[in-house]
Amino acid sequence: MWEKATHPAPAAPPRRSFALTGRSVAIDPRHNAVRPDLADVRLAEYVFAPHYAAPMPCVVTRTVVLHAESSPESEALVELQPGETFECLEVLREVAWGVSPDRRLSGYVDRDALDQIT
């Protein structure tokens, strides 16, 4: 049975509505964090997605391969080095999906190779 919360829930941030204006533009998912189910909220004015995520800044803690897909057998895009920034948009069991702003590439990395920046 669920217990009733004793602390008031934090106020939700004010919602900003988004609208696509003008012609659609072709966005390369290798360089922009967009998938059919999820997109970087910074792309909301350019692409439609069922869900948007705000990037969570992380730092790469060890050399790790940025993959095009969640499978480790998928195409390797680049190796990220310790100390590089990775903007995480989704964390799955073993991988994280997001953007390497330094490399301007989006993809999947081992989640164990990331530390959240506080």
Side-chain angles (χ1 to χ4, degrees):
M1 179 136 197
W2 294 97
E3 292 183 25
K4 187 174 182 179
T6 56
H7 301 291
R15 289 193 67 162
R16 178 178 167 207
S17 61
F18 297 99
L20 296 175
T21 58
R23 294 178 168 225
S24 295
V25 294
I27 293 191
D28 186 344
R30 291 175 298 173
H31 300 288
N32 297 283
V34 59
R35 302 186 320 211
D37 64 327
L38 183 63
D40 188 328
V41 72
R42 297 172 292 192
L43 299 174
E45 295 181 33
Y46 306 104
V47 297
F48 174 78
H51 301 282
Y52 296 95
M56 178 178 62
C58 296
V59 64
V60 176
T61 58
R62 62 176 168 82
T63 301
V64 65
V65 175
L66 180 70
H67 289 277
E69 297 182 22
S70 60
S71 167
E73 290 82 32
S74 69
E75 175 188 2
L77 301 174
V78 71
E79 265 189 359
L80 302 179
Q81 300 301 316
E84 286 190 57
T85 301
F86 185 79
E87 297 174 341
C88 186
L89 294 162
E90 182 181 48
V91 177
L92 303 169
R93 285 182 174 214
E94 298 173 1
V95 296
W97 177 69
V99 179
S100 168
D102 299 332
R103 309 291 182 111
R104 295 187 179 181
L105 290 171
S106 70
Y108 295 84
V109 297
D110 291 338
R111 71 181 270 183
D112 294 338
L114 301 175
D115 261 351
Q116 184 177 353
I117 298 174
T118 55

